[in-house]
Amino acid sequence: MRSTSSPPSLLPIPLLVISELLGVPEEDREPFVTWADAVNGTEHDPEVTQEAYAYLRKLVADKRADPADDLLSALSVVAAEEGGSLSETELLHNAMLLLVAGYDTTVYLIANTVLALLQAPEQLAEVRENPGSRDWGWQCRPTR
């Protein structure tokens, strides 16, 4: 159930980054696109959302049992410490927030940046000629 609103060629970039950040094993990453689309998309699917939460619940338990060098492990350790400020529910919701909001935001940010550069050929040429010469974040203004 992949959303047609997300540019397909951009899907792997945020998926890879968020999965790495959360410490999701590579073999488990494919459903993340479906889960993000199910929660964010126009065709919200509660069953798929529950599937995502079930996976994240198991991942949190795995990270608590065997912490690694990732954000979910770090948050799990903080949540488990005496006086820790994160409950398991808060931890799960934060993981889902990172998955959904980070995924969607990044896909559209990249797509809009590419569109802005395509609409401003002189700026695209400058970026190609000097890719590391300056901060381009606020410089792209499409010509109309």
Side-chain angles (χ1 to χ4, degrees):
M1 179 179 134
R2 185 170 285 178
S3 169
T4 57
S5 61
S6 297
S9 60
L10 301 176
L11 296 176
I13 297 169
L15 176 64
L16 176 65
V17 171
I18 293 166
S19 297
E20 282 291 322
L21 181 68
L22 292 175
V24 176
E26 198 169 322
E27 63 273 9
D28 292 350
R29 294 178 182 176
E30 187 58 38
F32 272 54
V33 173
T34 302
W35 294 338
D37 284 342
V39 174
N40 267 357
T42 56
E43 299 176 24
H44 178 75
D45 186 340
E47 194 172 303
V48 176
T49 301
Q50 290 307 310
E51 181 183 318
Y53 270 110
Y55 176 81
L56 290 173
R57 192 172 288 109
K58 180 187 177 310
L59 186 62
V60 166
D62 291 348
K63 297 296 179 180
R64 281 193 170 148
D66 186 22
D69 186 22
D70 56 66
L71 181 61
L72 203 51
S73 291
L75 291 173
S76 295
V77 168
V78 169
E81 288 178 351
E82 187 176 328
S85 58
L86 283 177
S87 69
E88 183 171 340
T89 300
E90 290 168 326
L91 185 56
L92 286 170
H93 288 313
N94 276 291
M96 183 62 83
L97 178 65
L98 282 170
L99 166 63
V100 174
Y103 166 79
D104 230 30
T105 303
T106 307
V107 166
Y108 289 107
L109 176 66
I110 294 168
N112 286 327
T113 301
V114 170
L115 178 62
L117 286 170
L118 291 174
Q119 291 176 339
E122 68 288 346
Q123 290 178 346
L124 178 57
E126 192 175 341
V127 170
R128 285 181 173 159
E129 290 171 20
N130 304 301
S133 65
R134 60 191 254 201
D135 179 13
W136 293 99
W138 301 103
Q139 303 301 317
C140 298
R141 292 183 180 79
T143 55
R144 298 202 189 244

